[in-house]
């Protein structure tokens, strides 16, 4: 089995080839933002997972390249439209498309990326295409559902932890799971094996998002790469906030509520006070506990996978990353 | 072969079934605008063309229903995002989605529709899916390209008639052509026959858009259903304007330029003056000539179609509609 680095390189070579075609396509106003977005970099986690899923069951990973490109183009399309909807100004250190170009360009070029993703997918092995297209479309639709729930939650005051987990399952986890399963299907995995990989993906996807939430409050700013406390300042309904609202009682519950509704405050002061309330509610432990749970569930899926143990190493390492920075 | 009315009814029954599923899906914030859009009505020209394309070569038109739904959902997705980009307030007599709901909803629900379209397409006959998905994706991408050219033209002063024709080919004609060809492929038409239908669609698509341009100036307001002169007031670069700019010389060319750049004017006065300049340039004749050309080309495609002559009646009538209101 190829190493993750080899799969990454293979994917990047293919992406480069496709980007060259996009660079030459007209009208430029439509395709330049597509190329700009695909050139922003990133870990390319999802396309490498497509190739990994395929390679676990087959040596013929070339067949999985179109689906890998499709997943990456789709993922970048969601970032492009999400940034527009959230009015975000920076993505991977660069101006977002709606600012560098304009909002209409962001809408239309995003649409084009969604369509391009399907066009790439169409180059997958013909006999697999019905299953692949259904899985890809269902996954993509669920990502939209997750984004909608996320937007709905902003104005709702009664979001439960369970609802939050379902939201991140849709918004984040299904795409990781779908990437692995697309690869497995292309690699001729038996259905039950492909579904185990899907479940593995859901579990690590959930754990990764929860880790993101946790790092935003408890992470080392030098390692995290973002400022600590951003979610606290924007009252983002993360696992930590929802769990604290659930667990705190009386005066402390009220204090948390006050911080959430307060219109003017010193940022540092709010971060410190809310973090203290999180500590009072011991939500860091709660988060670590649930992350451990998803990590264990992920490993159980891997254990049932009927491939050589040495070939499970990369996915085990990926799952372990979930636990590596949170204690 | 089934009548157009029968195909229309068949499609509408299927659409109703699918709309019921969409009505029951969650989150409501995502799916209500989808249902709202699909419920707006319209002639359902494109999905009926999918079924017509199939029925010309096969009795088994049920197989073409998923593609018919896909084309209609895709078409409505483009209208939804176009209305947002154009900031249009009314569509088929109802408030547009970004006004009735909000712009973010319009973006995300539109995305969901694009994905839903592909999910429907995936239910087409498995052995045809690679060809169908490639044709559908390429067509969808060309529609985006057409929309981009249309937006580019707004700020360009040197658009040629040829560029305009290419723009409406992409923005309007390829979807009509693609609808017919999707149906033909599903109906097992030989490739050359499917391509004839595609070319027929391009020709009537071009003629229909040119007819739209013509009716905006020369139509009977009671029949046209829209106010006359809307394109003139907004300086829309239609065939008539571009041809007039090409043909007029000296003082009259200058007059036309003045009307286009004038910031304040009485609407009725501008419509009258520009129409007079169009008459001076005889651009109505030019438009009628080119529509007749595309009409003839469309009929030539039909003539080469190897199906029973009686079965060509509906498409001949469709082509004749292009000529029916323009003199």
């Amino acid at each position: 089995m190829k190493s993750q680095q080899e799969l990454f390189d293979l994917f990047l070579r293919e992406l480069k080839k496709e980007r060259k075609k996009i660079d030459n396509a007209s009208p430029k106003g439509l395709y330049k933002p597509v190329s700009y977005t695909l050139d922003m970099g990133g870990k390319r986690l999802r396309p490498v997972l497509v190739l990994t899923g395929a390679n676990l069951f087959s040596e013929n990973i070339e067949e999985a390249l179109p689906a890998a490109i499709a997943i990456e183009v789709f993922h970048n399309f969601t970032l492009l439209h999400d940034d527009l909807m959230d009015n975000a100004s920076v993505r991977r250190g660069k101006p977002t498309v709606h600012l560098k170009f304009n909002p209409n360009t962001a809408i239309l070029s995003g649409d084009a990326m969604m369509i391009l993703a399907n066009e790439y997918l169409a180059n997958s092995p013909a006999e697999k295409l019905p299953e692949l297209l259904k899985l890809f479309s269902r996954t993509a639709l669920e990502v939209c559902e997750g984004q909608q729930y996320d937007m709905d939650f902003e104005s709702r005051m009664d979001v439960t932890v369970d609802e939050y987990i379902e939201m991140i399952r849709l918004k984040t986890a299904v795409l990781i799971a779908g990437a692995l399963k697309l690869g497995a299907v292309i690699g001729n995995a038996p259905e039950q094996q492909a579904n185990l990989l899907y479940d593995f993906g859901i579990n690590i996807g959930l754990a990764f998002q929860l880790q993101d939430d946790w790092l935003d409050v408890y992470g080392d700013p030098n390692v995290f790469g973002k400022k600590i406390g951003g979610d606290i300042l924007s009252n983002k309904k993360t696992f930590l906030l929802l769990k604290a609202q659930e667990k705190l009682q009386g005066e402390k519950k009220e204090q948390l509520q006050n911080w959430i509704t307060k219109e003017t405050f010193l940022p540092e002061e709010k971060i410190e006070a809310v973090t203290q309330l999180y500590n009072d509610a011991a939500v860091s432990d709660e988060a670590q506990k649930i992350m451990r749970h998803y990590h264990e569930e992920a490993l159980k899926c891997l254990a049932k996978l009927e491939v050589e143990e040495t070939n499970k190493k990369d996915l085990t390492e990926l799952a372990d990353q979930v636990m590596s920075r949170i204690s």
Side-chain angles (χ1 to χ4, degrees), chain A residues 6 43 56 59 62 70 94 172 261 272 311 322:
Chain A
E6 284 171 312
K43 293 187 302 290
L56 278 171
E59 289 308 310
E62 299 279 329
K94 289 186 192 165
T172 304
T261 47
E272 203 189 317
N311 287 345
V322 169

Side-chain angles (χ1 to χ4, degrees), chain A residues 218 240 244-245 247-249 251-260 270-283:
Chain A
Y218 296 105
L240 299 172
Q245 285 180 321
K247 288 184 73 185
L248 289 173
Q249 300 292 337
E251 203 186 327
K252 297 213 159 161
K253 193 186 184 83
E254 234 167 80
Q255 280 174 16
L256 182 60
Q257 208 46 40
N258 285 343
W259 277 111
I260 290 171
K270 176 167 176 175
I271 294 171
E272 203 189 317
V274 172
T275 304
Q276 184 55 51
L277 289 164
Y278 284 0
N279 292 342
D280 295 340
V283 292

Side-chain angles (χ1 to χ4, degrees), chain A residues 28-129:
Chain A
K28 298 295 171 210
L30 183 67
Y31 289 109
K32 254 177 81 174
V34 176
S35 180
Y36 175 77
T37 304
L38 291 176
D39 197 30
M40 277 184 173
K43 293 187 302 290
R44 316 293 188 184
L45 170 67
R46 293 157 193 79
V48 172
L49 287 179
V50 173
L51 300 181
T52 304
N55 203 189
L56 278 171
F57 300 96
S58 159
E59 289 308 310
N60 193 357
I61 44 178
E62 299 279 329
E63 285 193 337
L65 278 171
I69 299 274
I71 278 278
E72 181 68 1
V73 172
F74 171 77
H75 176 57
N76 280 275
F77 143 73
T78 65
L79 300 180
L80 199 170
H81 273 193
D82 282 5
D83 284 343
L84 174 63
M85 290 185 270
D86 300 343
N87 202 13
S89 53
V90 176
R91 166 73 59 188
R92 292 172 182 148
K94 289 186 192 165
T96 46
V97 169
H98 63 281
L99 290 185
K100 185 169 169 77
F101 302 89
N102 61 62
N104 279 357
T105 295
I107 295 172
L108 195 62
S109 294
D111 293 347
M113 288 179 82
M114 174 67 224
I115 299 165
L116 272 171
N118 279 293
E119 195 174 43
Y120 286 123
L121 190 71
N123 292 318
S124 300
E127 74 282 9
K128 304 281 170 53
L129 197 55

Side-chain angles (χ1 to χ4, degrees), chain A residues 105-297:
Chain A
T105 295
I107 295 172
L108 195 62
S109 294
D111 293 347
M113 288 179 82
M114 174 67 224
I115 299 165
L116 272 171
N118 279 293
E119 195 174 43
Y120 286 123
L121 190 71
N123 292 318
S124 300
E127 74 282 9
K128 304 281 170 53
L129 197 55
E131 185 176 358
L132 297 176
L133 184 58
K134 274 174 206 166
L135 172 60
F136 186 69
S137 301
R138 189 37 51 182
T139 303
L141 210 50
E142 288 179 342
V143 173
C144 290
E145 292 173 359
Q147 169 71 1
Q148 181 68 44
Y149 280 119
D150 199 14
M151 297 196 304
D152 289 347
F153 288 1
E154 282 174 29
S155 56
R156 273 185 53 196
M157 288 303 137
D158 58 351
V159 180
T160 65
V161 170
D162 283 353
E163 284 180 311
Y164 175 76
I165 298 288
E166 173 63 4
M167 184 276 281
I168 62 173
R169 185 184 75 82
L170 292 165
K171 186 167 173 171
T172 304
V174 298
L175 192 56
I176 290 172
L180 281 162
K181 186 169 174 180
L182 281 176
V185 169
I186 295 166
N188 284 317
E191 196 188 340
Q192 178 258 9
Q193 294 284 299
N195 287 336
L196 276 175
L197 264 189
Y198 185 89
D199 293 341
F200 169 82
I202 293 289
N203 283 296
I204 63 157
L206 291 172
F208 266 119
Q209 186 54 55
L210 289 162
Q211 189 196 47
D212 242 33
D213 292 1
W214 188 91
L215 288 171
D216 184 77
V217 178
Y218 296 105
D220 176 343
N222 298 319
V223 183
F224 186 43
K226 282 193 260 186
K227 258 198 155 164
I228 294 297
D231 290 349
I232 291 178
L233 290 179
S234 64
N235 297 324
K236 197 163 188 329
K237 294 190 182 70
T238 66
F239 177 85
L240 299 172
L241 174 56
L242 297 171
K243 201 72 190 175
Q245 285 180 321
E246 189 184 297
K247 288 184 73 185
L248 289 173
Q249 300 292 337
E251 203 186 327
K252 297 213 159 161
K253 193 186 184 83
E254 234 167 80
Q255 280 174 16
L256 182 60
Q257 208 46 40
N258 285 343
W259 277 111
I260 290 171
T261 47
K262 209 176 267 188
E263 303 252 323
T264 51
F265 49 78
L266 290 171
E268 295 313 310
E269 207 177 314
K270 176 167 176 175
I271 294 171
E272 203 189 317
V274 172
T275 304
Q276 184 55 51
L277 289 164
Y278 284 0
N279 292 342
D280 295 340
V283 292
S284 172
D285 293 348
E286 298 275 355
Q288 287 173 331
K289 203 169 84 187
I290 190 168
M291 280 186 263
R292 251 192 314 272
H293 165 73
Y294 289 128
H295 178 248
E296 279 163 21
E297 290 298 310

